[in-house]
Amino acid sequence: MIRFILLQNRQGKTRLAKYYVPLEESEKHKVEYEVHRLVVNRDSKFTNFVEFRTHKVIYRRYAGLFFSLCVDITDNELAYLECIHLFVEILDHFFSNVCELDLVFNFHKVYLILDEFILAGELQETSKRAIIERMSELEKLQ
Amino acid sequence: MNSIFSGTRLRDMIRSIRACKTAAEERGVVRKECADIRASINENDPHDRHRNLAKLMFIHMLGYPTHFGQMECLKLIASPGFPEKRIGYLGLMLLLDERQEVLMLVTNSLKQDLNHTNQYVVGLALCALGNICSAEMARDLAPEVERLIQFRDPNIRKKAALCSTRIVRKVPDLAENFVNAASSLLKEKHHGVLITGVQLCYELCTISEEALEYFRKKCTEGLIKTLRDITNSAYQPEYDVAGITDPFLHIRLLKLLRVLGHGDADASDLMTDILAQVATKTESNKNAGNAVLYECVETIMAIEDTSSLRVLAINILGRFLSNRDNNIRYVALNMLMKAIAFDDQAVQRHRVTILECVKDPDASIRKRALELVSLLVNENNVKQLTKELIDYLEISDEDFKEDLSAKICSIVEKFSPEKIWYIDQMLKVLSEAGKFVKDDVWHALIVVISNASELHGYTVRALYKAVLTYSEQETLVRVAIWCIGEYGDLLVNNVGMLGIEDPITVTESDAVDVVEDAITRHNSDMTTKAMALVALLKLSSRFPSISERIKDIIVKQKGSLLLEMQQRAIEFNSIVDRHKNIRSSLVERMPVLDEATFNVRRAGSLPASVSTMAKPSVSIPNGVAAAPLVDLLDLGSDDILAAPSSSGADFLQDLLGVDLGSSEVQSGATPGPKAGADLLMDILSIGTPSPSPAQNNTSSVDLLSTAGINNNPSTALDTLSSPAPPHIATTASAGGMFDLLDGLSPSPSKEATNGPAYPPIVAYESSTLKIEFTFSKPSGNLQETNVQATFINLSPNTFTDFIFQAAVPKFLQLHLDPASSNTLPASGNITQNLKVTNSQHGKKSLVMRMRIGYKVNGKDVLEEGQINNFPRGL
């Protein structure tokens, strides 16, 4: 199960934070800070998996953004790497060559995409096309 | 307020925040925006609610508090329009979580929305519910969600499935309700619904045994077929990732099959074909393929054994291990740890590669590899492996040294074939990474050293050489000065040379140099310095020729700023000066520390006080019950490890004379000792004892800290030579000490009777009180003795509130009946019956400590004594 998803830039600013477990505000900030510290200093030759408290964080860097997923210890890390990649592809498709600014100014849309992709900490849909279609339907209702 | 000018657009706000150059500027902008939003909220204007909430969410993401917006979410959710609802639910998920009470207010809206005609609204509600519902909400809304699993639109079905996943996680009892719906989902064609259905089934299987059985019986074959279809399917561009159609679905299916096959041979049988197919045919040049392979290997490991499959799996892992991608290697190391349980041989084949991974630059890989290596160690390869690991220890990073040294120590301890090898390896580890070595490790080393009597000379010489080179490794220094203190004479006289040693000449002065250096070095901590002082004391007896120099060093420490050092220096100095006659017996070679008991204690299993607890103390107001006073009464029990509250480490600390204020730890460490301390307090306090545990602990700390180290004869004298504070608890122990020492010269108040069996004895006599014991044996039981105690008042005053208390060592059990009266008139007497059971009947005779309290002329009087003169054979 995914416990939380974080998108952070290299300076540590959180561009997206979705928690599937309850945490206090102060705890959330602490977590974001710690994950960022863990992830930003790692050399690219190292594994994409880091132990974090009693769970693990699977992360990948795309341009200036770190995509981090915190999952249970027993989960399949390689699968979640694929999951991150699929998410990035969806964003890329939706925003047409996505960049960090797109995510900043359209954060509410990013959350909506995420909610179509992952629900309750589990994968909801694996087809990029299906998610994009759904998003366009939703956009029409706005 | 004009609503046209009531605030910036979202874009503009974001732009202006980003334009801020400093944090203070940003705070200012945010503050202003929040004020505007708050004003707008107060006006209750529905038009801007949408935008306000969006702004609030952005501000929240920046990290500012936004609690005032929570009610806005609720209002938006309650609005009829879709856009409002959407932003309302989004705000809800972002600004709230399941632990807040405000969430309960949403339940009603959620219920309505779940039944809404517009399926997009239903989708919103399911999404919100699935992400943050609490247990109560889950219970309330479960029936709705269950119904929605069968909805016509697949988007709703998949959302409902995942929402149910969360519901059953929060409320496991509801699992049965979802089983049927879930199994129908497994027949879906739509990938999204299928994957969520599989996930729901997985969740149900982990939560409920019945669900597991149901799915196992009904659905295993269907699932296998689905997996087969998907593996063999043609290229589907929509789901294709690196040549595999929907690897996520593959992985989910494999996971569910794992749960179904685990522990069930039939189900496992059915799966073997498809697992073999997936394992052999999946492309492994891309991450997606490797992910599927990894899941497949995990499943093979978890289901019931078919050896050919297992071999296949381990081969795959072997391939992974030589992959250049770090991720793959990491994952392989992980899996190999589980694989060791099944097939140790297969994994041993990869030992060299794994050892290479220990030296990898990536920290996660190093850690995993190290754990794997420690699982691979057995008697055959331990020497080789240890050598490699120690070689690596010298060049490894600081942060890794701790883990590595801990692992090496545990390997060495478990598998060392002979003592000399063990000592050698430990010495090397201490020299390289001494400061990372934990206390119980070097304590264990000392226990082993003390047991290896033929190696004493070798050990002390090796330590001497090591400490000259590596004097900054604290633990090494400690072990070295302990050994030099104990075996200094072996060091300078080159006793017990082994064939492999080169001769070295160490003069007494050199040895003392080392110890002195430990004391005076500025970065030694208190433990080391204290141990050094004790070592000096021992050396002053073993090396009489330089006793003066040793004395000077000790005297210099009298002025130390550390209280512990000062105290020890003064006491040791007085021993060296004035008590030369007992010095040599004080610092005699320490008795061999009992390894077996030490190991047991170290495992934390059995503190000595467990036997204390075996007898509940029967507390009668008059005759206070006796429980074995373990620590105060080291009466003829051979067990030198009698400190009651110690864990292994603490006991050894006591023996090494290292008891520096950690006595709180001693007494507080386990419930056993605390209760033991309670019993102590019961005995030593007059009247009904029910002290608070905290208070108990502190006063028992005083007791134990003075009494707990009575096994070390030098510290027994400490309490003798330094003035003991007039403290009622310590009076008891100090009194005990005195009695112990007075035992060296017979005390006049005790009369030994060596007559025929069971003559009456005068147990105690003072100027005011005399106690006589008469004995009888109840029929049949040789171990029991009935004692009638007669208390005779020898003074002209009347004693009131007379209480007799007694304590016996562990091997005895004592039961006191109520006394005939509490008041002892002048020249009168009262009687009390006791029953003693001697579990060591025939081997040890009875012995008892007693304490009498009474009031005379309004003053409290306390008398104590020890009764050693029980007739033999009782």
Side-chain angles (χ1 to χ4, degrees):
Chain A
M1 169 188 159
I2 301 176
R3 303 180 77 85
F4 57 82
I5 302 179
L6 288 178
L7 253 74
Q8 292 167 312
N9 68 4
R10 267 197 278 223
Q11 283 75 40
K13 284 216 157 176
T14 307
R15 296 301 179 201
L16 181 102
K18 184 87 184 180
Y19 290 86
Y20 296 100
V21 290
L23 281 179
E24 295 292 332
E25 282 304 316
S26 52
E27 283 170 47
K28 284 187 188 168
H29 290 149
K30 209 152 51 111
V31 156
E32 284 163 28
Y33 178 71
E34 275 177 38
V35 169
H36 178 255
R37 222 159 43 113
L38 263 183
V39 145
V40 84
N41 289 323
R42 275 172 78 84
D43 197 277
S44 58
K45 286 196 309 287
F46 291 179
T47 60
N48 291 78
F49 324 126
V50 206
E51 250 115 68
F52 173 67
R53 299 189 187 171
T54 51
H55 324 294
K56 44 188 181 201
V57 167
I58 318 248
Y59 72 96
R60 200 174 234 166
R61 198 182 118 223
Y62 289 87
L65 275 179
F66 287 95
F67 287 71
S68 315
L69 251 61
C70 175
V71 301
D72 297 329
I73 278 275
T74 50
D75 283 340
N76 182 341
E77 297 95 335
L78 301 175
Y80 282 114
L81 269 182
E82 286 301 316
C83 183
I84 294 178
H85 192 71
L86 185 57
F87 185 52
V88 172
E89 279 188 6
I90 295 172
L91 287 177
D92 196 41
H93 196 278
F94 186 80
F95 288 107
S96 310
N97 272 333
V98 67
C99 64
E100 192 178 332
L101 268 186
D102 287 328
L103 302 180
V104 174
F105 277 95
N106 297 302
F107 65 93
H108 45 293
K109 293 195 187 147
V110 178
Y111 275 108
L112 288 171
I113 296 176
L114 187 56
D115 283 333
E116 288 296 322
F117 181 50
I118 292 178
L119 186 64
E122 301 293 348
L123 214 52
Q124 190 187 149
E125 177 62 67
T126 53
S127 155
K128 200 166 70 179
R129 186 194 60 87
I131 296 182
I132 303 285
E133 260 182 35
R134 174 97 179 154
M135 284 306 293
S136 44
E137 287 168 29
L138 289 172
E139 292 280 286
K140 281 195 224 121
L141 291 174
Q142 282 285 83
Chain B
M1 229 345 229
N2 244 331
S3 51
I4 310 174
F5 299 117
S6 67
T8 54
R9 295 179 51 205
L10 175 62
R11 269 198 168 250
D12 300 328
M13 181 190 87
I14 297 181
R15 230 176 255 133
S16 60
I17 288 182
R18 283 175 60 79
C20 293
K21 298 276 187 292
T22 67
E25 225 181 306
E26 182 182 294
R27 275 199 297 274
V29 174
V30 168
R31 215 176 300 138
K32 181 177 170 308
E33 288 290 343
C34 283
D36 284 343
I37 294 174
R38 258 194 277 248
S40 178
I41 290 177
N42 282 335
E43 280 179 24
N44 227 343
D45 185 350
H47 300 289
D48 292 328
R49 225 176 256 154
H50 186 286
R51 182 195 298 159
N52 284 340
L53 192 58
K55 286 200 240 175
L56 263 183
M57 286 199 289
F58 187 80
I59 293 175
H60 174 88
M61 274 176 61
L62 290 174
Y64 297 95
T66 48
H67 310 287
F68 54 92
Q70 284 174 2
M71 291 310 288
E72 288 300 285
C73 297
L74 270 62
K75 290 185 203 156
L76 277 168
I77 291 173
S79 333
F82 177 78
E84 283 83 22
K85 277 193 196 284
R86 188 167 115 170
I87 202 98
Y89 276 119
L90 198 56
L92 189 77
M93 288 191 282
L94 206 55
L95 302 178
L96 275 89
D97 63 56
E98 70 189 62
R99 296 189 293 201
Q100 309 205 11
E101 288 86 33
V102 180
L103 202 54
M104 294 301 293
L105 299 173
V106 190
T107 318
N108 208 22
S109 302
L110 274 171
K111 193 172 200 152
Q112 288 177 351
D113 284 340
L114 284 174
N115 292 316
H116 208 276
T117 44
N118 183 343
Q119 53 121 321
Y120 294 101
V121 174
V122 179
L124 283 178
L126 278 173
C127 185
L129 198 59
N131 282 335
I132 60 167
C133 79
S134 63
E136 292 85 32
M137 289 167 71
R139 227 184 265 277
D140 286 339
L141 298 169
E144 311 292 331
V145 176
E146 198 192 321
R147 186 180 50 82
L148 287 169
I149 295 183
Q150 321 273 16
F151 199 80
R152 57 180 195 282
D153 187 307
N155 283 309
I156 301 296
R157 284 209 296 280
K158 68 184 188 195
K159 287 187 166 49
L162 286 182
C163 194
S164 321
T165 315
R166 186 178 171 99
I167 290 178
V168 299
R169 272 190 204 137
K170 288 279 162 206
V171 189
D173 307 326
L174 294 174
E176 286 90 44
N177 307 5
F178 289 97
V179 168
N180 282 323
S183 58
S184 67
L185 284 175
L186 291 178
K187 307 194 188 77
E188 291 272 346
K189 292 290 169 226
H190 185 280
H191 278 225
V193 186
L194 188 50
I195 205 176
T196 54
V198 169
Q199 184 55 42
L200 179 57
C201 293
Y202 179 80
E203 204 64 43
L204 290 172
C205 287
T206 44
I207 291 178
S208 147
E209 271 300 312
E210 292 107 29
L212 180 58
E213 282 308 313
Y214 178 82
F215 285 121
R216 196 177 267 160
K217 264 202 294 271
K218 296 280 180 69
C219 307
T220 313
E221 291 183 13
L223 284 168
I224 294 176
K225 183 171 175 310
T226 316
L227 184 56
R228 195 174 295 133
D229 289 343
I230 245 250
T231 317
N232 296 332
S233 75
Y235 175 69
Q236 288 182 33
E238 186 173 345
Y239 294 108
D240 184 270
V241 180
I244 303 184
T245 315
D246 207 341
F248 302 102
L249 186 56
H250 273 87
I251 292 171
R252 283 271 174 270
L253 283 168
L254 283 168
K255 215 168 174 190
L256 183 54
L257 284 175
R258 178 156 88 233
V259 166
L260 294 179
H262 180 69
D264 187 280
D266 298 322
S268 309
D269 255 343
L270 294 169
M271 297 178 205
T272 31
D273 283 340
I274 187 63
L275 286 174
Q277 187 185 344
V278 171
T280 43
K281 283 184 49 187
T282 314
E283 300 268 326
S284 69
N285 45 3
K286 283 291 170 77
N287 188 52
N290 286 326
V292 175
L293 276 176
Y294 178 35
E295 196 70 38
C296 189
V297 167
E298 280 225 44
T299 305
I300 293 177
M301 289 298 170
I303 63 173
E304 295 309 300
D305 191 357
T306 11
S307 46
S308 54
L309 265 189
R310 290 258 165 88
V311 168
L312 192 57
I314 296 194
N315 285 343
I316 294 178
L317 289 179
R319 248 178 27 229
F320 275 8
L321 211 48
S322 23
N323 194 311
R324 268 178 306 149
D325 187 348
N326 275 342
N327 293 336
I328 312 282
R329 277 193 296 166
Y330 178 87
V331 148
L333 285 171
N334 246 346
M335 278 262 60
L336 280 171
M337 280 203 280
K338 295 186 210 165
I340 276 198
F342 305 120
D343 195 349
D344 189 73
Q345 290 296 38
V347 186
Q348 290 280 0
R349 256 179 266 139
H350 301 283
R351 198 173 68 228
V352 178
T353 332
I354 297 172
L355 213 48
E356 283 307 308
C357 290
V358 175
K359 307 180 187 152
D360 197 277
D362 182 349
S364 326
I365 292 197
R366 275 205 301 256
K367 224 170 12 147
R368 282 269 167 277
L370 189 58
E371 280 178 42
L372 190 51
V373 162
S374 53
L375 287 174
L376 278 178
V377 171
N378 57 33
E379 292 79 28
N380 301 329
N381 54 28
V382 65
K383 284 200 175 167
Q384 172 71 12
L385 274 176
T386 320
K387 180 174 173 320
E388 300 248 352
L389 288 175
I390 291 186
D391 287 340
Y392 181 56
L393 184 62
E394 292 169 24
I395 52 176
S396 66
D397 301 328
E398 284 297 305
D399 41 353
F400 192 49
K401 271 195 181 168
E402 183 172 349
D403 285 336
L404 190 51
S405 55
K407 268 293 175 316
I408 297 178
C409 293
S410 66
I411 293 177
V412 163
E413 263 180 87
K414 261 202 295 204
F415 290 103
S416 82
E418 66 237 349
K419 289 212 160 81
I420 183 169
W421 184 82
Y422 174 73
I423 293 177
D424 273 339
Q425 305 307 312
M426 288 305 296
L427 241 59
K428 283 200 202 131
V429 174
L430 285 179
S431 312
E432 284 302 325
K435 54 179 174 309
F436 299 112
V437 171
K438 299 222 167 39
D439 282 345
D440 55 346
V441 171
W442 62 272
H443 292 166
L445 174 61
I446 289 186
V447 172
V448 170
I449 291 178
S450 99
N451 271 302
S453 39
E454 71 284 3
L455 294 174
H456 284 166
Y458 170 76
T459 315
V460 70
R461 280 186 288 275
L463 277 167
Y464 175 78
K465 281 186 263 195
V467 85
L468 287 180
T469 340
Y470 296 102
S471 57
E472 67 288 352
Q473 296 289 359
E474 199 80 39
T475 346
L476 180 64
V477 171
R478 287 186 202 165
V479 176
I481 47 183
W482 188 86
C483 283
I484 292 179
E486 273 295 302
Y487 311 121
D489 45 335
L490 302 182
L491 175 63
V492 300
N493 298 326
N494 273 336
V495 173
M497 292 283 286
L498 299 180
I500 47 174
E501 289 187 65
D502 309 316
I504 59 169
T505 22
V506 184
T507 63
E508 297 177 346
S509 185
D510 292 333
V512 175
D513 279 342
V514 170
V515 184
E516 182 180 12
D517 188 53
I519 298 188
T520 48
R521 218 155 28 105
H522 62 95
N523 55 353
S524 297
D525 72 356
M526 193 156 81
T527 317
T528 319
K529 292 188 181 175
M531 286 179 72
L533 267 185
V534 177
L536 281 176
L537 180 66
K538 296 180 191 169
L539 288 178
S540 81
S541 161
R542 306 208 205 292
F543 298 160
S545 53
I546 47 171
S547 183
E548 275 308 302
R549 179 177 165 207
I550 294 182
K551 183 155 162 307
D552 287 336
I553 304 176
I554 298 181
V555 164
K556 226 188 299 174
Q557 289 303 313
K558 274 207 221 179
S560 158
L561 291 174
L562 299 167
L563 179 59
E564 181 70 25
M565 296 295 287
Q566 235 187 60
Q567 182 170 1
R568 289 188 186 213
I570 295 174
E571 292 163 4
F572 292 170
N573 187 39
S574 86
I575 296 178
V576 171
D577 258 346
R578 286 181 267 134
H579 296 280
K580 286 212 174 62
N581 53 332
I582 45 172
R583 183 178 58 178
S584 49
S585 52
L586 268 185
V587 296
E588 249 175 32
R589 191 85 80 221
M590 209 170 267
V592 170
L593 305 168
D594 187 359
E595 248 183 309
T597 332
F598 174 69
N599 286 333
V600 163
R601 275 171 182 262
R602 198 166 156 216
S605 49
L606 191 71
S609 54
V610 166
S611 50
T612 316
M613 285 316 294
K615 275 184 8 84
S617 62
V618 181
S619 201
I620 320 168
N622 245 346
V624 177
L629 256 185
V630 175
D631 58 337
L632 287 183
L633 306 177
D634 191 0
L635 303 170
S637 72
D638 298 327
D639 191 2
I640 57 169
L641 317 171
S645 60
S646 323
S647 58
D650 293 335
F651 117 76
L652 201 49
Q653 279 196 330
D654 297 341
L655 276 170
L656 299 173
V658 175
D659 181 25
L660 306 164
S662 61
S663 38
E664 303 83 56
V665 173
Q666 274 179 306
S667 49
T670 54
K674 224 194 265 187
D678 287 348
L679 292 172
L680 276 172
M681 290 314 292
D682 286 348
I683 294 166
L684 299 171
S685 60
I686 304 174
T688 34
S690 49
S692 65
Q695 181 201 23
N696 225 9
N697 256 343
T698 34
S699 38
S700 59
V701 160
D702 302 324
L703 252 181
L704 294 174
S705 54
T706 41
I709 33 180
N710 69 344
N711 287 316
N712 188 344
S714 62
T715 26
L717 271 185
D718 290 347
T719 38
L720 176 59
S721 50
S722 54
H727 185 280
I728 211 168
T730 46
T731 320
S733 56
M737 296 300 168
F738 277 108
D739 284 343
L740 264 174
L741 291 167
D742 288 346
L744 300 175
S745 48
S747 128
S749 62
K750 300 177 179 51
E751 298 166 7
T753 21
N754 269 332
Y758 326 141
I761 59 167
V762 174
Y764 175 81
E765 189 164 1
S766 72
S767 54
T768 45
L769 184 65
K770 182 166 160 187
I771 306 181
E772 280 173 336
F773 280 177
T774 48
F775 305 103
S776 61
K777 286 273 190 195
S779 56
N781 194 347
L782 278 178
Q783 293 189 338
E784 280 186 14
T785 309
N786 287 336
V787 182
Q788 191 189 44
T790 312
F791 307 99
I792 305 167
N793 183 350
L794 302 174
S795 77
N797 306 310
T798 307
F799 298 164
T800 51
D801 297 324
F802 188 91
I803 293 187
F804 167 75
Q805 297 165 308
V808 289
K810 275 190 286 189
F811 59 89
L812 294 176
Q813 284 185 346
L814 181 60
H815 178 84
L816 290 161
D817 290 334
S820 58
S821 154
N822 272 28
T823 311
L824 204 55
S827 311
N829 64 9
I830 56 176
T831 55
Q832 188 165 7
N833 283 330
L834 303 75
K835 193 160 77 159
V836 187
T837 313
N838 183 359
S839 63
Q840 303 262 14
H841 172 78
K843 293 182 241 161
K844 293 187 184 168
S845 53
L846 298 185
V847 94
M848 190 188 291
R849 273 185 59 72
M850 42 129 260
R851 188 185 195 195
I852 298 136
Y854 54 87
K855 270 200 173 80
V856 64
N857 295 335
K859 255 185 3 179
D860 284 337
V861 180
L862 210 57
E863 296 190 24
E864 297 173 308
Q866 185 163 307
I867 310 168
N868 290 331
N869 51 344
F870 283 95
R872 297 199 149 277
L874 278 179

